[in-house]
Amino acid sequence: EDQVTQSPEALRLQEGESSSLNCSYTVSGLRGLFWYRQDPGKGPEFLFTLYSAGEEKEKERLKATLTKKESFLHITAPKPEDSATYLCAAPQGGSEKLVFGKGTKLTVNP
Amino acid sequence: DGGITQSPKYLFRKEGQNVTLSCEQNLNHDAMYWYRQDPGQGLRLIYYSQIVNDFQKGDIAEGYSVSREKKESFPLTVTSAQKNPTAFYLCASSIIPGTEAFFGQGTRLTVV
């Protein structure tokens, strides 16, 4: 069964303390890996799409990378406004459905 | 200003009543989706549509119904058969099925 697993479930950082979030997947024939940011009570906001191993995408303090088995969302020198839940997703093998991980709740303390 | 509009933002329903959640997009996307989000469970797919007048059940379709009469609109009806309807409902669309999806701001449904 295709799965997308995120770790850790929650991460608490001090402002300026860099770290990484993990998204591992077992989707066969990966056709894209998507990262989203979700603030409480709001819909997920699209961040990045990665298609092939070795690919990297950057946006402000965020950088997403992809290997053959997992993706990382690196957060460099985070600020309190980066606090949110980060979700990753991938299309299910042989289907057009997106499979989502349960997310990592990031809290950045000032 | 292109995007996905869900309405209403908050909705209260009495047990035994059907209720319809609205989702409209002006992105000219072919595919549209409905997800349900509960604490600790992540996003679960209810229904999706790849093209007008066609839709497929997702993982938790029981107690829900949809229609796709127009490309722009994909309303979700939560029927009285849904045993635990209180949740946060999210509508999304993508330019073609299986690509990155863009979400609306959600509707929080509470059964009272």
Side-chain angles (χ1 to χ4, degrees):
Chain A
E1 180 183 334
D2 292 339
Q3 283 193 334
V4 174
T5 304
Q6 293 188 247
S7 62
E9 289 185 13
L11 180 63
R12 192 176 291 270
L13 300 173
Q14 289 298 122
E15 185 171 2
E17 180 187 1
S18 302
S19 188
S20 295
L21 314 182
N22 177 266
C23 172
S24 63
Y25 60 89
T26 57
V27 173
S28 57
L30 187 71
R31 293 173 287 129
L33 188 292
F34 313 123
W35 281 99
Y36 293 85
R37 169 193 170 126
Q38 187 176 24
D39 293 303
K42 296 191 175 181
E45 174 191 351
F46 171 74
L47 292 173
F48 305 111
T49 301
L50 301 166
Y51 287 107
S52 56
E55 188 175 1
E56 297 183 353
K57 293 273 181 73
E58 285 190 65
K59 181 180 180 180
E60 296 181 355
R61 294 175 293 281
L62 301 177
K63 183 169 78 173
T65 61
L66 184 66
T67 71
K68 288 186 178 180
K69 293 185 177 181
E70 56 194 352
S71 178
F72 294 94
L73 185 64
H74 307 278
I75 302 176
T76 301
K79 298 183 178 181
E81 53 261 44
D82 294 321
S83 297
T85 295
Y86 291 86
L87 303 169
C88 69
Q92 194 173 40
S95 162
E96 309 303 342
K97 298 191 290 186
L98 293 184
V99 180
F100 279 83
K102 293 186 178 181
T104 294
K105 184 177 180 180
L106 174 67
T107 304
V108 182
N109 295 316
Chain B
D1 201 16
I4 301 171
T5 302
Q6 289 187 244
S7 60
K9 188 172 182 179
Y10 299 98
L11 190 56
F12 296 87
R13 187 196 93 176
K14 290 185 178 180
E15 274 194 39
Q17 290 181 338
N18 294 353
V19 63
T20 298
L21 281 60
S22 170
C23 178
E24 302 277 333
Q25 56 100 356
N26 60 4
L27 300 169
N28 199 32
H29 285 177
D30 283 329
M32 296 188 75
Y33 311 84
W34 274 105
Y35 289 90
R36 170 180 172 143
Q37 189 173 36
D38 297 284
Q41 295 234 33
L43 273 71
R44 293 184 289 168
L45 183 64
I46 305 172
Y47 268 98
Y48 66 107
S49 168
Q50 300 183 57
I51 196 169
V52 174
N53 292 322
D54 184 52
F55 48 84
Q56 288 80 40
K57 292 181 179 179
D59 302 316
I60 55 165
E62 185 175 351
Y64 299 98
S65 66
V66 294
S67 63
R68 186 89 186 273
E69 297 177 359
K70 298 187 299 182
K71 188 175 186 177
E72 302 80 16
S73 179
F74 192 41
L76 173 74
T77 297
V78 184
T79 75
S80 56
Q82 169 49 232
K83 295 179 181 178
N84 187 19
T86 294
F88 189 48
Y89 290 88
L90 288 160
C91 178
S93 70
S94 60
I95 190 165
I96 57 174
T99 59
E100 59 268 10
F102 296 86
F103 285 82
Q105 289 303 295
T107 293
R108 186 165 298 279
L109 172 65
T110 303
V111 176
V112 297

